[in-house]
Amino acid sequence: MASINRKKLYIVMVGLPARGKSTIANKLKENLAKNHIRTRIFNNGDLRRRLSPEDTSYPEFYDPRNRKGADLREKIAMINIHRAMNYLDRTGQVAILDATNVSAKRREKTAEILNTHPVLFIECINQDAEILKASIEQKVTLPEFRHLERESAIQSFKQRIRYYESIYSPVDKQRNAVRLDSLYNRILHEEISDDIPHYDLIRDLLVADTVKNLFLIRHGETYFNLENRIGGNSGLTENGKAQAKALARYFKNKKIPVIFTSRKKRTIQTAFPIMQEQEDCSIIPLKEFNEIDSGVCEAMSYREIRDVMPHVYAARKRNKYAYIYPDGEGYVSMKERVDRGIKKALYLSRNPQNIMIVGHRAVNRMILSHFLYRREEDVPYIYIPQDKFYHIVATQNKKLFQLRPYNRG
Ligand code: F6P
């Protein structure tokens, strides 16, 4: 290596399309900037769309045997590499090269050229078929697929991924590399040979669940709520609908690109008017956010449970967190799926300013306790009203939990 200035850093993203590379690159950039570290992203996809007047979204453009496509992609990669070098030569401190970089050949060449500062490779992996599917469905809403029907756009994007897979080789033999499960924010492999500037900060950012603004809402009042009945799939009462409209008014001037709900009618009905008041917003129902399954007690009221199944009532009272309803769930057994729902929501929403979840009483308790430590025995008693919502901020520089009313009269 030529003489290395250790104060500056190149980060090279690696991974197949739709593996969360850009989300991570953006998260790094924003947080490094908050720490006064001048950072810029050099994204090959953006450059391709800007530079090439013709359509490059069709899958064959990515076929490694297509010389014209391969040459153009190589050219774009080189332009960004040189722009990144220029940036660090001047005032920049961290340059992030955001591209697939899936072939060992491309990575070797990149490391060879970028020899004036250390290079850190961050490889993003996500093996979760369901998330990948949802992620692809979101990708095809991008302007570059606008000329295609949704199903053909999905097929086209999948074919693009297959072409990348055909030349993919996992990162190894690099001096500095992190392999990251980008859904679970888990480091799977870490090899650091050089003194990487800001590595403590970068590593921490890679593993942390961060949300800039999470609005955690409980669905509006339902017919079951009126009778204190649990579970089921009842709809909102008139009051519940009015609550949903009040929420919609309250959030009208905040940009909410996506609302995650459960698959139950009551959360979707609550989210619907909120979505309607937004300019560009979609609802994504996740089964992971369904309310606790109370098994044999579904649709019963607490009083009925006490009278008809006193053993259930007493056992749950003794240890509400650990108690599992016969044929159903308990807080303890919901934890894994709710955590998975949170990961899914964060992954699919791609680091936006605001994210919203409309959930249920028990589910929202679990979501809150994911970000705010509570002893397990206290989790099933966290206050989750229907006339207020939680505003949660969990970033490296700020933690906030605020219970706020939304109905300003
Ligand atoms: O009553 C509404 C509800 O969401 C039920 O569907 C659910 O079983 C219950 O709240 C969860 O709260 P708890 O664990 O306190 O019974």
Side-chain angles (χ1 to χ4, degrees):
M1 255 189 264
S3 80
I4 285 200
N5 175 350
R6 294 189 186 280
K7 292 238 170 61
K8 301 197 177 201
L9 173 68
Y10 292 108
I11 295 179
V12 179
M13 305 305 296
V14 176
L16 294 167
R19 263 52 179 196
K21 297 183 297 298
S22 298
T23 306
I24 289 175
N26 281 314
K27 180 174 166 186
L28 290 174
K29 183 189 148 177
E30 276 172 19
N31 285 283
L32 288 166
K34 282 207 182 102
N35 288 279
H36 310 289
I37 300 162
R38 282 181 300 278
T39 305
R40 192 172 289 172
I41 297 176
F42 300 86
N43 180 299
N44 287 11
D46 288 347
L47 188 60
R48 167 176 57 79
R49 283 180 284 270
R50 259 184 285 136
L51 283 190
S52 85
E54 54 175 311
D55 172 24
T56 53
S57 68
Y58 62 96
E60 284 64 40
F61 178 74
Y62 302 87
D63 182 344
R65 293 161 303 188
N66 170 355
R67 274 263 51 95
K68 200 170 153 228
D71 286 350
L72 182 56
R73 283 183 292 119
E74 189 66 14
K75 185 175 143 198
I76 285 165
M78 288 306 131
I79 295 176
N80 265 342
I81 286 175
H82 287 101
R83 284 184 178 173
M85 288 173 84
N86 260 329
Y87 177 63
L88 292 201
D89 275 353
R90 289 178 285 115
T91 55
Q93 291 171 282
V94 176
I96 306 179
L97 287 144
D98 183 10
T100 52
N101 297 313
V102 289
S103 77
K105 198 169 139 214
R106 160 76 70 78
R107 292 194 297 267
E108 270 155 34
K109 189 166 171 190
T110 306
E112 220 176 279
I113 305 175
L114 299 178
N115 63 2
T116 45
H117 305 286
V119 182
L120 170 65
F121 288 87
I122 300 180
E123 179 178 12
C124 297
I125 291 181
N126 168 19
Q127 315 270 33
D128 189 304
E130 198 191 327
I131 294 280
L132 192 60
K133 183 169 171 277
S135 193
I136 292 173
E137 281 165 7
Q138 272 198 321
K139 281 265 181 191
V140 300
T141 60
L142 291 173
E144 72 173 306
F145 293 103
R146 203 170 277 155
H147 60 291
L148 294 175
E149 294 283 319
R150 186 182 133 91
E151 202 32 54
S152 349
I154 290 176
Q155 289 318 323
S156 160
F157 197 74
K158 282 187 173 166
Q159 182 57 38
R160 182 192 301 194
I161 294 178
R162 279 194 287 275
Y163 283 132
Y164 276 114
E165 273 167 342
S166 72
I167 52 164
Y168 184 92
S169 72
V171 173
D172 68 352
K173 295 198 210 120
Q174 295 298 341
R175 295 182 59 78
N176 311 297
V178 172
R179 180 170 305 135
L180 182 76
D181 177 328
S182 50
L183 175 60
Y184 286 98
N185 299 351
R186 195 175 294 139
I187 291 184
L188 304 172
H189 180 76
E190 185 177 21
E191 175 80 54
I192 303 294
S193 314
D194 296 322
D195 185 7
I196 300 290
H198 323 295
Y199 189 64
D200 291 358
L201 172 59
I202 291 170
R203 193 190 191 287
D204 204 25
L205 286 166
L206 293 179
V207 298
D209 270 343
T210 55
V211 274
K212 280 178 251 173
N213 295 288
L214 166 61
F215 303 111
L216 181 63
I217 293 168
R218 184 176 167 199
H219 61 80
E221 181 190 79
T222 65
Y223 289 101
F224 262 34
N225 289 152
L226 288 181
E227 297 171 17
N228 233 347
R229 291 188 186 281
I230 64 174
N233 194 15
S234 78
L236 299 186
T237 60
E238 285 311 310
N239 182 35
K241 288 181 190 157
Q243 288 171 325
K245 285 203 179 118
L247 278 161
R249 280 194 300 276
Y250 184 92
F251 285 101
K252 188 178 163 63
N253 296 321
K254 297 208 185 331
K255 201 173 173 318
I256 314 284
V258 46
I259 308 174
F260 295 94
T261 65
S262 72
R263 297 226 173 125
K264 301 290 176 184
K265 225 192 284 178
R266 53 198 186 274
T267 59
I268 299 173
Q269 280 181 354
T270 305
F272 199 74
I274 308 176
M275 179 190 77
Q276 280 182 317
E277 284 290 351
Q278 295 284 319
E279 229 163 72
D280 190 9
C281 171
S282 50
I283 294 178
I284 303 187
L286 298 179
K287 61 179 184 307
E288 285 83 355
F289 291 153
N290 282 354
E291 183 53 317
I292 188 168
D293 176 352
S294 42
V296 295
C297 296
E298 278 288 297
M300 291 172 81
S301 70
Y302 289 110
R303 181 190 290 246
E304 282 168 355
I305 299 174
R306 195 188 57 198
D307 294 348
V308 182
M309 301 183 192
H311 53 290
V312 168
Y313 192 83
R316 193 161 194 258
K317 203 163 166 207
R318 255 195 317 276
N319 190 344
K320 196 173 172 189
Y321 189 84
Y323 183 77
I324 297 180
Y325 283 106
D327 296 334
E329 291 179 303
Y331 281 85
V332 65
S333 60
M334 278 170 78
K335 184 171 170 44
E336 203 182 317
R337 68 147 163 112
V338 174
D339 279 349
R340 187 178 145 77
I342 296 169
K343 300 286 182 193
K344 246 180 167 177
L346 296 182
Y347 188 89
L348 294 176
S349 58
R350 298 169 205 265
N351 195 30
Q353 202 51 37
N354 300 320
I355 137 169
M356 180 178 279
I357 299 177
V358 182
H360 304 258
R361 181 152 65 179
V363 163
N364 286 12
R365 286 174 176 153
M366 299 305 283
I367 296 174
L368 263 179
S369 67
H370 181 94
F371 292 101
L372 170 72
Y373 174 74
R374 286 290 178 105
R375 281 182 300 262
E376 280 184 355
E377 73 242 43
D378 295 325
V379 170
Y381 299 96
I382 298 176
Y383 180 50
I384 309 284
Q386 276 167 317
D387 59 350
K388 298 189 182 70
F389 68 93
Y390 279 94
H391 177 193
I392 301 169
V393 179
T395 65
Q396 220 162 19
N397 302 8
K398 189 171 168 188
K399 298 272 179 282
L400 171 97
F401 287 85
Q402 211 172 15
L403 183 60
R404 309 184 64 167
Y406 55 79
N407 205 339
R408 288 182 283 208

